[in-house]
Amino acid sequence: MPKEQMLQRILDCGVVAVIRASSGEVLADVASALAEGGVHCVEVTFTVPAAHRVLEDLTSRLGGKIFVGAGTVLDSETARVAILSGAEFVVSPTVHLGVIELCRRYDKAVIPGALTPTEVLSAWQAGADIVKIFPSEITGPAYLKALRGPLPQVRLMPTGGVNLLTAADFLKAGACALGVGGALVDAKSIQERDFARITTLARQYMEIVRRTREEMNGGK
C-alpha cells in the first residue's frame, strides 16, 4: 500500500491499537476482535517473541481486513525486518534518524516517539509522518495542546495514558490519532481469550472518536 494511503487509513480510523503478549499465537484473534469493533490499525510491538513471524501471520491471514504496523522499533535493522515481514507502518519510542530514513526509503509511514518540543520538531524535520508523544501518561492532554501551539503543522499521536476517560480530551487537544495499549487490549482479556470484551472496547473508542470529531467540526 502506498504510504500516503496508509497514513490516511490511520488518520481516518483515529485509533492505533498497541498489542503485545508473551506469545504471538493469540494475536491474530486479538486483531480480528479489534477489527470487528472498528479498529483496523494495529501495532505489533517487537517485545513480542518472534514478532516478525507474527507480522507475517497477521498480514497473511488478515490482510485487507486490518492494517499492521510494527512497534518498539529501536533501530534501522529491525525496521527493515518489520517491513519485509509485512509492516505497513513503523512506530518507535524514540527519534531514531536511521529508522526514519529507512522507512522513507521503502515508502512506509513512520511514527517516531518524542516528548520535548525539540524532539518533536527534529522528528518532523527528519520526515516523520506522525510524531508519537510518549509517554503521554506523564504529560496528559494539556501538554499536547501546548505543543500544538507553536507546532500546529505537526501531526501528534499521544500514546500512554489514553483511555476511555481521556481519549476525547486528547482529541480536543489536537491529537490526529490515539495510540491505545492496555486500556484497549489488556493482558487479562488476552489471557482469558475474552475477545468479545476487546471488540466491545474497540467500539467504545471508535464511538468516542466519531462523536468528538463531529463535535469539533460543529456537528457536521
Side-chain angles (χ1 to χ4, degrees), residues 207-220:
E207 175 59 20
I208 289 172
V209 171
R210 184 200 65 77
R211 187 174 64 245
T212 305
R213 285 177 170 176
E214 186 176 90
E215 180 184 332
M216 292 170 63
N217 290 327
K220 297 179 181 180

Side-chain angles (χ1 to χ4, degrees), residues 176-189:
C176 70
L178 307 170
V180 191
L184 172 55
V185 185
D186 63 282
K188 183 179 179 182
S189 294

Side-chain angles (χ1 to χ4, degrees), residues 15-68:
V15 175
V16 175
V18 183
I19 57 178
R20 52 173 61 88
S22 58
S23 170
E25 296 177 3
V26 73
L27 294 189
D29 292 324
V30 171
S32 293
L34 288 165
E36 188 175 342
V39 175
H40 296 279
C41 298
V42 301
E43 171 194 332
V44 177
T45 71
F46 261 75
T47 56
V48 174
H52 64 290
R53 293 200 182 101
V54 177
L55 289 169
E56 291 172 350
D57 184 49
L58 290 182
T59 53
S60 174
R61 293 172 56 181
L62 300 172
K65 183 178 180 181
I66 63 168
F67 307 101
V68 184

Side-chain angles (χ1 to χ4, degrees), residues 7 24 40 42 44 64 69 75 87 90 92 98 104 128 138 210 218:
L7 178 60
H40 296 279
V42 301
V44 177
D75 50 57
V90 172
S92 176
R104 289 178 63 82
I138 295 174
R210 184 200 65 77

